[in-house]
Amino acid sequence: MKLESINATKKFVGKVAVEDISMTLDEGHIYALLGPNGSGKTTWMKMVAGLIKPSAGEIRFNDKPVDIESRKTIAYMSTEPFFYDWMTIGDVGKYYQDFFADFLMDRYDELLAGMELDKLLKVRTLSSGMMAKLKIAVTMARDAAVYMLDEPLNGIDLLARDEVMRTILTYATPEKIMIISSHLVEELEAVVDSVIFIKDARFAGIHEVEELRINEGISLADKYREVFGKVKEA
Amino acid sequence: MFNLIKYELRKTLGLKFIILIMFAIFQVTYLIGLYGELDTPLVFGTMGLTFGSFVAIILIGVYSIRLLRKDLNTKQSYMLFMTPNNSYKILGAKVIENGISIIVASLFVILLGILDISLLTTKYSEFGDLIAFINQALGDLQQINTASIVSTVCVMIAEWLYIVGTGFFAIVIIATLLNGRKHNGIAGLGIFFLITFIVRFVINKTVSRSYDINISLAHNLTLIAIYIVLAIVMYFVTAWIMDNKLSV
């Protein structure tokens, strides 16, 4: 199983969000997708999820362009809340069960219990932390081939972060591809084995974290500083 | 597809509940006026039910267009476009939900109208005589019959479905070109009015001109066919744009 980005480009009016990104991601890896705000991480993920059409190039999953079929096996968690506000937490699970054959309600219940979320709670009443946990729970309750988590650690406390990290590690089995974007580089270092850097909308390298430690003698955070040191955070 | 329609119905449930409450209030007012022999509630109830019937059907269509706009321009779009459904299904579910809602609402107001007129003629027999007299007078002049009334209602429903389809098209075109930018709603309205104006102009200059009598069965059937074809064309063009060009 492989996920390929081939010269993927996305241009909006007056802005190039992603430019000519080419890389191949293989199963059995947890990738950190790193870059400053506005570097194009989210746009690239949305192209993989099929939410955004590339202006040029293409994204291929298992040698086929991503399309309606690939949505059956690619699970994407957006950084923004996106559930209908009339839903309860239980309704969100039912919705995913209705549309995704790989959704496991037992796993969802288990994840909700671990995150102390009540199925009867209305989505509109959730705090940002609870919403972040719900997004993780419903995404990871899918038995997908590819998981893409955009800023999964945003807005949640330390204990909830630990729970999220545990969840990621639990379901990151050798036949999966997992891509996580976050600004909390040091926390990500504990779970990822590879890192993709995106700088100014362009691909800026892919590395194995262990190789960075052994060959260059630096941590993921140090490498981040090295790559983006002169880029001002937005 | 069934699941998509189910959730589209759920999204419009609140509006339908409000419409039902509105009808219930006017109906009760009408019945109080009728059986209490009070003129003010009778007139108020009658006017409310009459205007409410048109407003309800228009609201259902407008609300559906508003929902599509929200589904394309907010993060809730992910709830639809992350699922393994193509745009023909996603839009089709919206069209079917809206079509069912408009047809059911139309049937509901027609049946309610028949019921209320029956109650009125039972209560006041002279009202029945008045209707019979009007029918007789009109019958000699314009040949109003059940077929022409039903076909006129069907023309209104078909035209409304085409108008809603045009609304969908305008919203999708603008979402594709402007991608959630400011004033996209105004631009969408502009496209909507332009298309409906041109279609209305062409129909008035061609189909409607060839018929002398306004209430003609053949004329109405022609209009129904035109509006249905236009609605279908709008659906396919809009879904194609969504599938191939739209980013959410």
Side-chain angles (χ1 to χ4, degrees):
Chain A
M1 184 173 65
K2 64 179 175 180
L3 180 67
E4 294 168 282
S5 177
I6 305 166
N7 306 115
T9 300
K10 182 64 190 177
K11 293 177 181 171
F12 295 108
V13 181
K15 188 192 173 191
V16 180
V18 167
E19 190 168 12
D20 205 24
I21 289 187
S22 293
M23 59 186 169
T24 301
L25 310 186
D26 297 310
E27 66 184 36
H29 290 282
I30 306 177
Y31 295 91
L33 184 63
L34 302 181
N37 292 334
S39 56
K41 306 183 297 292
T42 297
T43 304
W44 183 81
M45 280 189 172
K46 286 183 183 175
M47 285 199 283
V48 177
L51 295 170
I52 288 181
K53 277 53 176 200
S55 309
E58 65 177 340
I59 307 287
R60 296 176 75 84
F61 178 58
N62 287 341
D63 299 319
K64 289 179 190 165
V66 292
D67 57 5
I68 307 298
E69 278 302 301
S70 59
R71 291 183 198 168
K72 292 178 180 172
T73 48
I74 296 178
Y76 170 62
M77 192 207 83
S78 148
T79 187
E80 310 97 342
F82 54 92
F83 306 119
Y84 297 126
D85 51 13
W86 48 265
M87 285 182 156
T88 62
I89 289 176
D91 290 334
V92 172
K94 184 76 177 58
Y95 188 91
Y96 268 63
Q97 191 178 41
D98 282 340
F99 288 109
F100 299 106
D102 60 3
F103 185 81
L104 305 170
M105 191 56 90
D106 290 346
R107 188 192 284 186
Y108 183 57
D109 289 340
E110 202 177 296
L111 286 164
L112 290 181
M115 294 177 179
E116 296 176 342
L117 290 172
D118 183 347
K119 270 185 148 178
L120 297 176
L121 282 174
K122 284 265 185 194
V123 162
R124 73 164 76 96
T125 66
L126 299 182
S127 66
S128 58
M130 291 163 96
M131 183 63 86
K133 289 196 274 188
L134 172 60
K135 285 188 298 171
I136 282 283
V138 78
T139 307
M140 300 307 294
R142 288 183 60 187
D143 189 23
V146 178
Y147 294 94
M148 291 188 295
L149 310 177
D150 196 359
E151 304 284 359
L153 306 176
N154 266 13
I156 55 176
D157 60 50
L158 186 63
L159 296 177
R161 275 184 210 169
D162 290 345
E163 185 63 37
V164 169
M165 292 299 192
R166 256 197 307 276
T167 305
I168 290 169
L169 287 172
T170 303
Y171 299 111
T173 50
E175 70 278 12
K176 312 282 186 194
I177 295 174
M178 198 164 282
I179 306 160
I180 309 165
S181 85
S182 176
H183 288 103
L184 300 169
V185 181
E186 276 150 349
E187 301 211 15
L188 270 192
E189 190 157 5
V191 292
V192 303
D193 59 65
S194 303
V195 57
I196 303 158
F197 291 115
I198 296 187
K199 185 178 179 180
D200 298 332
R202 301 182 74 95
F203 176 71
I206 184 165
H207 308 273
E208 285 196 16
V209 176
E210 195 58 25
E211 278 183 12
L212 288 178
R213 289 191 200 112
I214 295 168
N215 297 340
E216 299 185 34
I218 56 173
S219 67
L220 183 57
D222 292 333
K223 187 69 182 176
Y224 184 94
R225 289 185 190 100
E226 185 185 303
V227 175
F228 300 110
K230 288 178 185 174
V231 178
K232 191 181 174 185
E233 287 275 341
Chain B
M1 188 76 165
F2 170 78
N3 282 325
L4 285 168
I5 295 171
K6 182 176 82 177
Y7 285 103
E8 289 304 323
L9 281 167
R10 175 61 188 80
K11 287 183 209 171
T12 57
L13 210 59
L15 174 75
K16 285 161 191 165
F17 188 63
I18 292 168
I19 288 173
L20 275 178
I21 289 175
M22 179 190 79
F23 270 106
I25 291 169
F26 286 128
Q27 182 66 22
V28 168
T29 311
Y30 173 82
L31 292 175
I32 289 170
L34 182 63
Y35 290 107
E37 299 188 356
L38 302 166
D39 288 347
T40 308
L42 185 64
V43 171
F44 185 70
T46 306
M47 287 178 69
L49 287 168
T50 309
F51 288 113
S53 301
F54 290 104
V55 169
I57 290 163
I58 289 169
L59 264 183
I60 289 170
V62 171
Y63 193 72
S64 177
I65 295 170
R66 184 185 164 273
L67 264 183
L68 176 65
R69 184 165 183 264
K70 193 177 177 192
D71 279 342
L72 296 183
N73 292 295
T74 68
K75 299 305 169 195
Q76 287 182 357
S77 58
Y78 303 163
M79 289 295 270
L80 282 177
F81 293 96
M82 264 190 340
T83 63
N85 290 298
N86 62 39
S87 297
Y88 293 91
K89 279 188 184 175
I90 291 172
L91 191 68
K94 288 180 177 293
V95 171
I96 289 170
E97 184 280 328
N98 194 244
I100 290 171
S101 297
I102 287 174
I103 290 166
V104 169
S106 302
L107 286 175
F108 173 75
V109 297
I110 288 168
L111 290 175
L112 193 63
I114 291 170
L115 173 73
D116 284 343
I117 290 171
S118 303
L119 291 174
L120 192 67
T121 50
T122 308
K123 176 79 177 163
Y124 300 106
S125 55
E126 62 270 27
F127 187 76
D129 297 338
L130 179 66
I131 289 179
F133 172 75
I134 292 169
N135 274 344
Q136 194 181 4
L138 285 175
D140 293 338
L141 294 170
Q142 293 196 17
Q143 296 178 346
I144 292 178
N145 53 39
T146 311
S148 64
I149 291 171
V150 170
S151 66
T152 303
V153 171
C154 288
V155 169
M156 290 165 72
I157 294 172
E159 184 172 10
W160 189 235
L161 287 174
Y162 140 72
I163 285 174
V164 173
T166 307
F168 285 171
F169 172 78
I171 293 290
V172 168
I173 279 282
I174 290 304
T176 306
L177 295 176
L178 297 182
N179 213 259
R181 281 188 172 71
K182 273 185 182 176
H183 310 306
N184 63 359
I186 295 166
L189 267 181
I191 289 179
F192 170 77
F193 282 123
L194 182 68
I195 293 171
T196 49
F197 173 80
I198 290 170
V199 168
R200 166 60 60 191
F201 180 79
V202 171
I203 286 176
N204 284 345
K205 288 286 177 191
T206 54
V207 181
S208 295
R209 179 180 269 184
S210 60
Y211 289 90
D212 293 331
I213 304 167
N214 282 333
I215 304 168
S216 154
L217 186 60
H219 177 231
N220 284 347
L221 290 176
T222 309
L223 285 178
I224 291 167
I226 289 171
Y227 287 131
I228 294 292
V229 167
L230 283 172
I232 291 169
V233 168
M234 284 295 170
Y235 162 72
F236 277 104
V237 172
T238 308
W240 185 88
I241 294 168
M242 286 168 73
D243 241 12
N244 294 284
K245 302 290 175 194
L246 179 72
S247 292
V248 293

